[in-house]
């Protein structure tokens, strides 16, 4: 059911597209005129976010046709460049997350959002005008990646445990997770090696990593701020059941006080569309994919035409010895 604050009178064949372009993934949502979420896609970008955007957008156009796409809203690190290439409007990540949470989960007072390369704490309060929650404060992680999803990815690869499903399920088996440094991936690696040397079970090490990230978030991102309940946990890391447990125990939350959204990975993309439509922004100037294709072709040409090094590594070493 669409909230009352959304514009009405749209055709049943009108669709809106939201993109959240991050460093690790592209999250895409398709919404109808009543802001019902029809489809959601999660695509790893593998360092080529705009190539993946072109493929996903081409797929969307092939299914819905450009004539029925009445608006595009974009958020994330690649959002500002994206709207120059495909049109639509850009919405700040914090505002997008706060908007989707405030409308879909109006009882929420805190948002913990952890993606591949950053993490956010968003504080909300109830808006008496419409009953939704609204943004009142926020914090983000520093430049260090120790408190993000990439921290878990790195450590999972080191111990050979798939991050997608097995990692979280394995962490749930631990009754006594060991303490592993979470402030720095180098220190975390040292602690992991130590625990492997003393034959600490692998599931305990995995759980220790989850708690390390949760403690890092509590001390470095949340800092002195009060984490008000209920808490919404969104972002790609929210799919990790080990992290859900770690946050629940670290923040002393019972089940009803920690909410995992149905579309936890796409809350940014959803919020971008919600915000644009609520504020009646001009999001309907979709320019197709031709400009995006030109950008990709131009970028590829520039990389191919880089001049060769003047001397090889072997020549450099030979010259250095002489």
């Amino acid at each position: 059911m669409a909230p009352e604050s959304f514009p009405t009178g749209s055709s049943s064949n009108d669709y809106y597209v939201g993109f959240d372009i991050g460093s690790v993934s592209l999250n895409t949502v398709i919404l109808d005129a009543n802001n019902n979420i029809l489809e959601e896609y999660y695509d790893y970008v593998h360092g080529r976010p705009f190539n993946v955007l072109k493929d996903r957008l081409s797929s969307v156009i092939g299914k819905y046709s450009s004539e029925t796409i009445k608006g595009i809203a974009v958020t994330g690190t690649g959002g500002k460049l994206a709207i120059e290439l495909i049109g639509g409007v850009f919405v700040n990540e914090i505002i997008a997350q706060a908007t989707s949470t405030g409308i879909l989960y109006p009882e929420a007072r805190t948002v913990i959002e952890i993606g591949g390369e950053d993490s956010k704490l968003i504080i909300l309060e109830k808006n008496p005008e419409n009953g939704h929650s609204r943004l009142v404060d926020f914090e983000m992680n520093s430049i260090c990646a120790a408190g993000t999803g990439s921290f878990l990815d790195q450590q999972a690869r080191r111990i050979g445990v798939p991050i997608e499903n097995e990692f979280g399920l394995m962490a749930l088996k631990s009754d006594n997770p060991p303490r592993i440094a979470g402030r720095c991936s180098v220190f975390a690696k040292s602690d992991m090696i130590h625990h492997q040397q003393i034959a600490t079970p692998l599931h305990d090490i995995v759980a220790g990593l989850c708690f390390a990230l949760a403690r890092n978030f509590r001390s470095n991102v949340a800092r002195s701020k009060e984490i008000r309940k209920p808490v919404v946990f969104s972002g790609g890391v929210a799919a990790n059941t080990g992290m859900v447990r770690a946050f629940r125990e670290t923040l002393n939350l019972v089940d009803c006080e920690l909410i995992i959204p149905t579309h936890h990975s796409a809350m940014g993309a959803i919020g971008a569309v919600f915000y644009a439509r609520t504020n009646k922004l001009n999001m309907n100037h979709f320019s197709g994919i031709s400009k995006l294709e030109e950008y990709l072709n131009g970028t590829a040409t520039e990389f191919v035409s880089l001049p060769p090094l003047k001397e090889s590594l072997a020549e450099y070493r030979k010259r250095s010895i002489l």
Side-chain angles (χ1 to χ4, degrees), residues 73-102:
V74 189
T75 190
T77 54
K80 289 186 177 179
L81 176 56
I83 63 170
E84 295 179 13
L85 301 174
I86 64 174
V89 297
F90 172 77
V91 179
N92 175 274
E93 294 177 73
I94 300 293
I95 293 175
Q97 290 285 339
T99 302
S100 58
T101 302

Side-chain angles (χ1 to χ4, degrees), residues 23 28 65 70 73 83 86 119 150 169-170 175 193 216 237 299:
S23 58
T28 307
S65 82
K70 299 304 179 181
I83 63 170
I86 64 174
S119 54
S150 63
L169 295 175
M170 185 178 290
D175 294 323
I193 292 173
N216 181 299
V237 177
T299 302

